[in-house]
Amino acid sequence: MDTGDGAYIDAESLDFKEEARKESMDVAKVMIDDAIAEKLDVKKFSFTSKSTFRIADLGCSVGPNTFNVMQNIIDAVQHKCQSQGLTSRTPEFQVFFNDIPSNNFNTLFTTLPPERPYFAAGVPGSFHGRLFPESSLHFVHSFYALHFLSEVPKELLNKNSPAWNKGRISYTCAQDEVAHAYAAQFAEDMATFFDARAKELVVDGIMVLIMPAIPNVGQSSVHGLMSDCLGSSLMDMAKEGLISEAQVDLFNLPFYITSPKEMREIVEGNGCFRIEKMEIQNPRSGIDAPITGKSCVMQRRAGLEGMISKHFGAEIVDDLFYRFSKKIDEVSNLMESQFQEGTQLSIVLKRI
């Protein structure tokens, strides 16, 4: 499948990624249902038979799971309207699927459910800025997208900077200055994100954010361990002359894994949202199968292959992820223990 930047992703990897996303979404579904049942006051929206309830899915990707989530949200809103005696005033629904312009919107729209109970529209653009008119949305959802930064911190690419990230591709196990640069970029991105959503959501509108996380700032995590294994695999290839070490020095993963404490501070700093619920979860809690190198490779490959191919060339991808798989197998027991502490942050916010 074309990723939008000239690279192609193995179909099996995409299928596995969707299965992994489904497991995480199943954990988050209960929180979404409860948020709508307990926190969404549909009477305040003054719906009539001609009203429209607008939902935005930010960072939607292209898989079928996003359609299931939208259907679940609509079912929950309809049930809420019925429970409050608003059966005759149930609104129509419009869903906006948002992602960066390189997302394969053709694939997204050719797989739309034909009997969907909503009007669909695509909104290309970065969710780090404004996307919708003021006070036009009632519900915002984002799943495993907000950890992506708007850009790699510039300090990481400057050889004269204390944050020059030589020989590494992320902030885990790097110098403190590297981690601080990533954290600062994430905080800046989230500040602009919440500023934009504060303008776009109606008062009493709901936002549910699901993202990878760590329990505490600076704590080691399964996310960091996988990044280290991938970076180590690249450095092994550089030592063997298959790629240059300079290429590795200039490659930094553009994402940051936050903690509940950091997110609470960012939300409270914005001042336009009330935290209705925030909890860190283990999406593997109902899975008996052990973590394997193959499972991690397929999930990571689907998300990173386009980026890696663009920087290093597509010819290294198979070898890189084979090496990555072997390294993950060596640390699988450690990864299992880190999963138990929680790797997924779910937040319910209300616009005030």
Side-chain angles (χ1 to χ4, degrees), residues 57 81 100 166-167 276 347 351:
D57 188 22
C81 288
I100 57 176
K166 181 174 177 58
E276 300 288 354
I347 312 171
R351 177 68 170 90

Side-chain angles (χ1 to χ4, degrees), residues 3 9 26 56 93 112 120 139 160 169 174 188 229 262 276 339:
T3 65
I9 291 178
D26 287 345
F93 293 91
L112 271 170
F139 196 99
N160 298 317
I169 65 171
E188 180 182 332
C229 287
E262 289 172 300
E276 300 288 354
F339 259 112

